[in-house]
Each structure stands twice: as C-alpha cells, then as structure tokens.
Amino acid sequence: MSRTEEQGGVPTAGSLAHRVPDLGGLELLLAVARLGSLGRAARELGITQPAASSRIRSMERQLGVALVDRSPRGSRLTDAGALVTDWARRIVEAAEAFDVGAQALRDRRDSRLRVAASMTIAEYLLPGWLLALRAQRPDTAVSLHAGNSTVVAERLLSDEADVGFVEGLTVPTGLDSVVIAHDRLIVVTAPAHPWARRRRPLAAGELASTPLILREKGSGTRQVLDAALGGLARPLIELSSTTAVKAAAVSGAGPAVLSELAVGEELAMRRLVRVPVEGVALARDLRAVWPTGHRPTGPARDLLSLTRG
C-alpha cells in the first residue's frame, strides 16, 4: 500500500485539504456541540438535516473516528468529537481573523482608484464616468493621470495605475483590453484658412504633404494618423495635449487633426470648420486596458462597467 493511501481508513499523507475537514464541516460540529441537536444545528446554518448528517459522516470518514452519537433524544459529542471540537474552535477563530484581514485589504483597495488615460478620453469622457462612479462609491478617492497611450501602458505595467484607457490602433504589449467606444479623427481649421472654403474633399496625398498641427508621437491620435497616411504626416507643430492642438488651430496657426469628441463646441460656434477628407481611414476604437491576466476588480471594475453603460 502506498504511503499516500489510507491506513486503517485514514489518509496519512498528501495535501492538508484532503486530511483536514473544511470550514463548513467544522462550523457544523461546533453548532452541534452548542445546541445539542443535529437538526437545530442544520437549521441555524441554513442546510437540511440530511445534508448535515452527510457532512458529519464525511468528517468521520475523513478523520477515522466517530464524532457524534445520535439518538432520539438528540446528538451528543463522543470523547473524540469533544477533542476535535476544541481544535475546530481554534481553526474557525483563525479563519474569522483571516476573513477580517482580507476584508481590511479589500476596504483599503476599494478606498482608492488610480486611473491612467490618454488625453482625449481623459478630457472628454472620463469626467462623466467619474461623476457616475462617485455616486456609487462616494468614499473612493480617485486619482487621474493623463498622458499619451505609451505613458498609460508604462503606468499600468509599473503598478502605478489600476485601470487605463487608450485611443491607438493597437493594444500595448503586456496589456489586455476591451473596446468601450468608437471615435473618428477629423481635419479642422480656422474659418479664415483656405481649406475652410474648399468644395472638394482633401485627398490623402494633399493631407500628407501639408504641415499640420499634430499631437506628439506616442499618442493614440498620432498613431492613427500616421497609419492612415503611411507614416507621412508632416508636423507644423507638435503639442502634447488635445486642448493645445485645438487652441493652436482656433488661433489660425494651421490645420489640425483631432477627435470628433474634442471639437463639437468649436464646430457649433464656427471657431473651427470641418474639412472633408476622402481615401483616409481615420476611425479608431477607444479601449480600456489593464495588465495581462489581471482583470480590474473593485472600483476599477465598477468604472469599467460605467464606460459601457
């Protein structure tokens, strides 16, 4: 007989999980000792009496000793059952302490949320999502770091953020993602620019040959534009935020390529004019991202659910 097999009906080796009764069984045994009745113990724990009897028998087989004497007058612990009950009480108390500690860890985790987001999402979508989250979790402190998609990935991979949002064509290495929205880049310019009065759409070649006000390399907006133009976009000015690009375009510095999300007010007020373009793929997905294999939990999970509501 193998050393890991049973001797006298009792396992003598192997994992503790196979040799020690589970917490449910130990709690049942403690209830029987306190109440003097298997039926009352079952009702207190919300299980049927047959299920309680089966659980006691399973523990007895596992331990190789009788734990409870059953009679019409009730249930009484055997001498071995009384001894096991003393041990069980210490195990259950330790489990309760473990549970309190785990809850403290969850409370600490849930008391803060660190978000990293690329600029367009940070400026035009996240404020509404965070307001909705605050209504659900008023005690959660939220910090937001806005940067380009490369910076978002770096913060997630260095455990400086719990969840991130990016706008590029691809998911940075080491991250999992889910699409939460769709967006389109458009060409805009000030009303005085010659493009504001043109009747025909811009072709890809003309857009590629014209110096533009652009986001910096590493941003999702720049990534989409470079891919659409085969890497040929020419910068007139490179700026590190959507707001700065928009302000430069409004001032008349030159044409810019921006998210539709960012310029709705300026288009409505005629501070900017949309320039039609043909033959250029400027659609993109907006994604929530997190380190591979570590799907968001707690407030990060709740925020993610709000983005897709």
Side-chain angles (χ1 to χ4, degrees):
M1 180 178 291
S2 167
R3 294 179 64 187
T4 60
E5 293 178 343
E6 294 184 355
Q7 294 180 353
V10 182
T12 59
S15 166
L16 274 175
H18 294 96
R19 293 183 285 126
V20 176
D22 62 30
L23 282 172
L26 297 179
E27 287 181 314
L28 174 61
L29 187 63
L30 289 172
V32 171
R34 187 175 68 256
L35 299 172
S37 164
L38 188 62
R40 287 198 293 271
R43 286 193 296 274
E44 180 176 272
L45 296 178
I47 60 176
T48 65
Q49 183 163 340
S53 296
S54 176
R55 187 169 291 181
I56 292 293
R57 287 195 297 270
S58 177
M59 283 196 296
E60 290 174 332
R61 287 194 301 271
Q62 189 174 26
L63 296 173
V65 295
L67 300 173
V68 177
D69 281 334
R70 305 159 186 82
S71 73
R73 294 186 301 276
S75 301
R76 182 182 63 84
L77 297 180
T78 65
D79 290 343
L83 184 58
V84 170
T85 299
D86 287 339
W87 299 336
R89 186 172 291 108
R90 293 198 290 270
I91 293 172
V92 170
E93 288 172 352
E96 289 171 345
F98 180 94
D99 182 53
V100 169
Q103 183 60 51
L105 287 176
R106 289 191 294 270
D107 290 344
R108 186 171 70 181
R109 177 204 65 192
D110 293 353
S111 69
R112 68 169 188 176
L113 173 61
R114 302 167 301 167
V115 181
S118 50
M119 298 302 297
T120 299
I121 296 175
E123 291 178 312
Y124 300 100
L125 293 176
L126 260 169
W129 297 338
L130 293 178
L131 281 174
L133 181 68
R134 183 169 181 78
Q136 290 185 6
R137 289 180 169 269
D139 296 328
T140 297
V142 179
S143 62
L144 170 62
H145 182 90
N148 62 38
S149 297
T150 300
V151 170
V152 171
E154 290 171 351
R155 293 187 73 86
L156 286 167
L157 294 173
S158 62
D159 194 29
E160 296 179 77
D162 303 305
V163 65
F165 298 92
V166 296
E167 307 157 7
L169 290 174
T170 59
V171 179
T173 302
L175 301 181
D176 287 339
S177 73
V178 64
V179 174
I180 56 168
H182 304 282
D183 186 28
R184 180 177 297 277
L185 301 182
I186 61 174
V187 179
V188 294
T189 192
H193 191 277
W195 280 3
R197 297 182 295 277
R198 62 180 295 137
R199 297 182 180 275
R200 290 182 300 146
L202 283 170
E206 189 174 2
L207 186 62
S209 65
T210 302
L212 303 169
I213 305 168
L214 299 175
R215 285 289 309 280
E216 79 286 6
K217 285 188 176 294
S219 70
T221 299
R222 182 66 174 273
Q223 184 185 102
V224 171
L225 182 63
D226 282 345
L229 297 180
L232 300 177
R234 294 179 57 193
L236 173 65
I237 313 170
E238 289 184 319
L239 299 169
S240 61
S241 79
T242 299
T243 300
V245 172
K246 185 166 58 173
V250 169
S251 74
V257 179
L258 287 164
S259 163
E260 278 185 318
L261 296 171
V263 294
E265 181 180 345
E266 285 73 20
L267 293 175
M269 301 294 292
R270 292 288 297 176
R271 292 197 294 268
L272 288 174
V273 176
R274 180 173 184 162
V275 181
V277 179
E278 64 180 7
V280 184
L282 295 177
R284 62 180 178 175
D285 294 328
L286 307 182
R287 294 182 173 89
V289 289
W290 56 87
T292 299
H294 298 277
R295 192 170 181 85
T297 59
R301 178 195 58 222
D302 292 347
L303 176 61
L304 184 56
S305 70
L306 290 170
T307 68
R308 305 168 71 186

